[in-house]
Amino acid sequence: MGESIGLQSIKFTQAPYIYEGACAVGKKESEGPLGNLFDKCFEDEMMGLDSWEAAESFLQKTAVDILFEKSNLTPKDIKYFFAGDLLSQLIATSFGIMEYNIPLFGLYGACSTFGEAMSLGAMCVAGGYADKVISLASSHFASAEKQFRFPLAYGNQRPLAATFTVTGCGAVVVSRTKGNHNVRITGITTGKIVDYGVKDSMNMGACMAPAAADTIYQHFQDFSRTPDYYDKIITGDLGSVGHTILCDLLKEKGIDITDRHMDCGTEIFCSELQDTQSGGSGCGCSASTFCAYLLRQLDKGEWKRILFVPTGALLSTVSYNEGRSVPGIAHGLVIEAE
Amino acid sequence: MGESIGLQSIKFTQAPYIYEGACAVGKKESEGPLGNLFDKCFEDEMMGLDSWEAAESFLQKTAVDILFEKSNLTPKDIKYFFAGDLLSQLIATSFGIMEYNIPLFGLYGACSTFGEAMSLGAMCVAGGYADKVISLASSHFASAEKQFRFPLAYGNQRPLAATFTVTGCGAVVVSRTKGNHNVRITGITTGKIVDYGVKDSMNMGACMAPAAADTIYQHFQDFSRTPDYYDKIITGDLGSVGHTILCDLLKEKGIDITDRHMDCGTEIFCSELQDTQSGGSGCGCSASTFCAYLLRQLDKGEWKRILFVPTGALLSTVSYNEGRSVPGIAHGLVIEAE
């Protein structure tokens, strides 16, 4: 059960649990600051397969297999998948999770997809429609570069504002009953498309920050809360450039989150050592950071309440090459440890 | 409210209403058998704009504007959009409905997207999370051909099994309270990805029919019903080729729907006169046919109960060119006149 709160939010009266989470990532992610927290790290980013897309599908399959193992669940226990990725027509997802024979709601929210998947998963479970569902998102550096930018072999230079797409998949079981974590999704604030007219596909942080600011601002309005309600406010993949813009935009509206803002994109890599420019990005960034790190911090009691806001840049080569801007979107979730 | 039924279904105990529906289509659709039922027909398929993608966005905007007009609602009355299209990264949707400032759940289910959007919309409203939401899907013949097949100027020949992507957008307000129609969504059966290994991108009917058969079969299992419960069982865009395959596959499982099966793809065009081969397709096909024709038939009492099953082929040029098959998916909805 839940109730409509304010303009864009839902408060769950029977808040669903994060029953378990699992993630699988690539080599670069394993060498970053969170390296030893991921469930599985692949040395070979092709994973022995013959295309980047097949590798991304395998990443999804690996994360879901680990999720079943860690949670002692089987596909029969899961009613629906809420899942997506960055590739056109969601091919990483179609081919990644097909064999589980679980009904699928395919989602596209660019890099915010994990937030969208968890939001809809929580709505489904809290509504009494399912006992357990899986929310999942993935991205792969090489399949994303091929899709959105340049062939890897071209070896183009990257400006400092660019972010580095995370090779990773994160998946959680959202459940009516408690599992291995004392952590619940108690509310959501779903984002609008926000377009500040930014046309730089190498500066996704600037495209997404206005959307993150919009969702976070509206969240505080809808729930009548202030930033100090949360131990951390954690965006998906704004990177260092987007972080500054977000904090500035919110300050203009009288909200200061500087002391508690964190971004999965700046946590997952060490930019100086790993040459990842502004930070990590992609829906695998927030998804794998959530499963590896955020869930653990909530478990350990380091944080009691977080506002988790996966951010997405609605970039497409077609609209981009037609001279259109890159609008952003961001979906907020209130995650609380009991 | 609702309850989980069987493996893949939900039965709504407080079934949400289709408050109103609206659609906008192109010239070819206006010349078909349903021509005089559409709310708006465009003579110019570019709609005076400079790209096919912008035209598709305009189609969405037109349908939503008409929807607001017909329903006497404004964007303030709508809590969420559940929407999608066929284009990579859903650009028709991003640019089509941005200006309404309504939070968006972006969806991708190929041509089944309208079924996915209505399913999630119904779950949202029945769960008490919103009073009204809009579920929407669109496709455009020219943007789809550019995305998936050949440039129009190339003038390729089309085999008889090919379907013709509908230029159209359909949108409905799903509501807790009754509006202009005495029609409710009383249940859903969400589809799995089904892959029979078909690799012919010019025969989408064959790719989707196994998924439709799977969902329809499971629907009867989950709800303990037989085909005679429904006046019509209406798939999205199987076309004449897919229709035959679907009926055959279900017969193998002991279910005969031949006498009540209808397909939006064969309704929307007159293949002999319009040279549309196997029929219409695209998520705009089921969406606009639903709003123009199916809703009207339910209103008039011609049908009391239908099983509406938008069908999707998860085709992508990337996976297709890498030699992968085209899996299908289909989402079922029980729509009942009171």
Side-chain angles (χ1 to χ4, degrees):
Chain A
M1 290 292 290
E3 51 176 323
S4 175
I5 295 273
L7 293 179
Q8 299 177 213
S9 303
I10 294 167
K11 192 171 177 177
F12 297 115
T13 36
Q14 285 173 346
Y17 287 89
I18 309 276
Y19 194 91
E20 186 54 281
C23 57
V25 299
K27 186 163 188 287
K28 200 172 187 89
E29 292 69 25
S30 75
E31 295 163 350
L34 309 179
N36 56 0
L37 302 179
F38 300 114
D39 294 304
K40 169 76 185 176
C41 301
F42 285 95
E43 274 288 307
D44 168 20
E45 302 225 328
M46 277 293 247
M47 294 151 209
L49 296 163
D50 58 3
S51 74
W52 300 119
E53 293 77 20
E56 188 175 342
S57 292
F58 190 71
L59 205 56
Q60 289 198 3
K61 196 182 130 35
T62 305
V64 174
D65 283 345
I66 297 172
L67 185 60
F68 282 131
E69 201 184 300
K70 285 172 77 174
S71 61
N72 269 320
L73 297 171
T74 70
K76 282 195 184 352
D77 298 310
I78 305 298
K79 184 136 184 185
Y80 300 120
F81 265 124
F82 293 87
D85 59 81
L86 295 180
L87 303 182
S88 296
Q89 292 80 46
L90 307 186
I91 47 172
T93 303
S94 303
F95 291 102
I97 59 176
M98 188 193 294
E99 69 180 61
Y100 297 105
N101 279 316
I102 296 170
L104 167 69
F105 291 100
L107 310 176
Y108 187 80
C111 311
S112 75
T113 301
F114 191 59
E116 185 182 351
M118 284 176 78
S119 298
L120 288 168
M123 286 163 69
C124 179
V125 169
Y129 305 132
D131 196 63
K132 288 182 179 59
V133 303
I134 289 179
S135 300
L136 170 154
S138 76
S139 54
H140 190 298
F141 174 71
S143 65
E145 288 295 299
K146 173 175 160 185
Q147 170 94 78
F148 294 104
R149 297 189 183 88
F150 298 101
L152 288 190
Y154 176 66
N156 73 305
Q157 295 227 325
R158 300 162 60 84
L160 287 173
T163 46
F164 199 96
T165 305
V166 164
T167 298
C169 174
V172 292
V173 174
V174 181
S175 168
R176 195 176 55 75
T177 52
K178 197 181 137 186
N180 300 338
H181 303 274
N182 224 345
V183 172
R184 301 173 99 153
I185 303 171
T186 60
I188 62 168
T189 301
T190 301
K192 303 178 301 216
I193 300 172
V194 176
D195 186 7
Y196 271 32
V198 181
K199 292 189 177 183
D200 183 356
S201 78
M202 289 295 187
N203 189 349
M204 297 284 93
C207 302
M208 296 185 284
D214 192 85
T215 298
I216 293 170
Y217 177 80
Q218 193 60 46
H219 175 79
F220 290 136
Q221 299 292 311
D222 288 354
F223 282 83
S224 304
R225 288 178 187 166
T226 50
D228 58 4
Y229 185 85
Y230 296 103
D231 296 307
K232 289 281 172 192
I233 294 166
I234 306 171
T235 48
D237 55 351
L238 296 184
S240 52
V241 175
H243 157 75
T244 311
I245 301 173
L246 171 65
C247 292
D248 286 353
L249 286 172
L250 283 173
K251 264 184 203 156
E252 281 176 16
K253 294 187 168 193
I255 292 171
D256 188 355
I257 64 162
T258 321
D259 63 339
R260 63 199 69 215
H261 178 243
M262 176 186 271
D263 183 70
C264 298
T266 53
E267 295 298 313
I268 201 166
F269 292 129
C270 177
S271 273
E272 293 76 28
L273 297 175
Q274 294 188 279
D275 194 25
T276 48
Q277 296 85 40
S278 184
S281 63
C283 35
C285 178
S286 54
S288 55
T289 303
F290 181 86
C291 297
Y293 181 48
L294 310 189
L295 199 51
R296 207 170 243 115
Q297 291 290 93
L298 288 159
D299 261 345
K300 288 197 300 188
E302 294 286 325
W303 308 328
K304 284 290 284 177
R305 295 193 280 238
I306 63 170
L307 179 60
F308 179 48
V309 191
T311 36
L314 300 163
L315 169 68
S316 151
T317 49
V318 173
S319 55
Y320 180 75
N321 287 329
E322 287 172 356
R324 308 297 295 262
S325 58
V326 183
I329 194 163
H331 298 304
L333 292 123
V334 185
I335 320 262
E336 308 196 34
E338 278 190 324
Chain B
M1 292 291 291
E3 52 176 321
S4 175
I5 295 274
L7 293 179
Q8 298 178 211
S9 303
I10 294 168
K11 192 173 178 178
F12 296 115
T13 36
Q14 286 172 347
Y17 287 90
I18 308 277
Y19 193 92
E20 187 52 282
C23 56
V25 300
K27 184 163 189 287
K28 200 172 188 91
E29 292 70 24
S30 74
E31 295 163 351
L34 309 179
N36 56 358
L37 301 179
F38 300 114
D39 294 303
K40 169 79 185 172
C41 301
F42 286 95
E43 274 287 308
D44 168 20
E45 302 226 327
M46 276 293 247
M47 294 149 209
L49 296 163
D50 59 2
S51 73
W52 300 120
E53 294 78 19
E56 188 175 341
S57 292
F58 190 72
L59 205 57
Q60 290 198 4
K61 197 183 128 35
T62 305
V64 173
D65 283 345
I66 297 171
L67 185 60
F68 282 131
E69 201 184 300
K70 285 172 75 174
S71 61
N72 269 320
L73 297 172
T74 70
K76 283 195 185 353
D77 298 310
I78 305 300
K79 183 136 186 186
Y80 299 119
F81 265 123
F82 292 87
D85 58 81
L86 294 180
L87 304 181
S88 294
Q89 291 79 47
L90 308 185
I91 48 173
T93 303
S94 302
F95 291 102
I97 58 175
M98 190 191 295
E99 68 181 59
Y100 298 105
N101 278 316
I102 295 170
L104 166 70
F105 290 100
L107 310 177
Y108 187 80
C111 311
S112 76
T113 301
F114 191 59
E116 185 182 352
M118 285 176 78
S119 299
L120 288 169
M123 285 162 70
C124 179
V125 168
Y129 305 133
D131 196 63
K132 288 181 178 60
V133 303
I134 289 179
S135 300
L136 170 155
S138 77
S139 54
H140 190 298
F141 174 70
S143 64
E145 287 295 298
K146 175 176 159 184
Q147 170 92 79
F148 294 104
R149 295 188 184 90
F150 297 101
L152 289 190
Y154 176 66
N156 71 302
Q157 295 226 326
R158 300 162 60 83
L160 287 174
T163 47
F164 199 95
T165 304
V166 164
T167 298
C169 175
V172 292
V173 174
V174 180
S175 167
R176 195 176 53 78
T177 53
K178 195 182 140 184
N180 300 337
H181 303 276
N182 225 345
V183 173
R184 302 174 98 154
I185 303 171
T186 59
I188 63 169
T189 301
T190 301
K192 303 178 301 213
I193 301 171
V194 176
D195 186 8
Y196 271 32
V198 181
K199 292 189 178 183
D200 184 355
S201 77
M202 290 293 187
N203 190 349
M204 297 284 93
C207 301
M208 296 185 285
D214 192 84
T215 298
I216 293 169
Y217 177 80
Q218 193 60 45
H219 174 80
F220 291 136
Q221 298 292 310
D222 287 354
F223 283 83
S224 302
R225 288 178 187 164
T226 50
D228 58 6
Y229 185 86
Y230 296 103
D231 296 308
K232 289 281 172 193
I233 294 166
I234 306 170
T235 48
D237 55 351
L238 295 184
S240 53
V241 174
H243 157 77
T244 312
I245 301 173
L246 171 65
C247 292
D248 286 353
L249 285 173
L250 283 172
K251 264 185 203 156
E252 281 176 18
K253 293 186 168 196
I255 292 171
D256 188 354
I257 64 163
T258 320
D259 63 339
R260 62 199 70 213
H261 179 243
M262 175 186 274
D263 182 70
C264 299
T266 53
E267 295 297 315
I268 200 165
F269 294 129
C270 176
S271 272
E272 293 76 29
L273 298 175
Q274 295 189 279
D275 194 25
T276 47
Q277 296 87 39
S278 184
S281 62
C283 33
C285 177
S286 54
S288 54
T289 303
F290 181 85
C291 296
Y293 181 49
L294 310 190
L295 199 50
R296 206 171 244 114
Q297 291 290 94
L298 288 159
D299 261 345
K300 288 197 299 188
E302 294 287 325
W303 308 328
K304 286 289 283 177
R305 294 192 280 238
I306 62 169
L307 178 61
F308 179 48
V309 190
T311 35
L314 300 163
L315 170 67
S316 150
T317 50
V318 174
S319 55
Y320 180 73
N321 288 329
E322 288 173 355
R324 308 297 295 262
S325 59
V326 183
I329 193 163
H331 299 304
L333 291 123
V334 184
I335 320 265
E336 306 196 35
E338 277 190 325

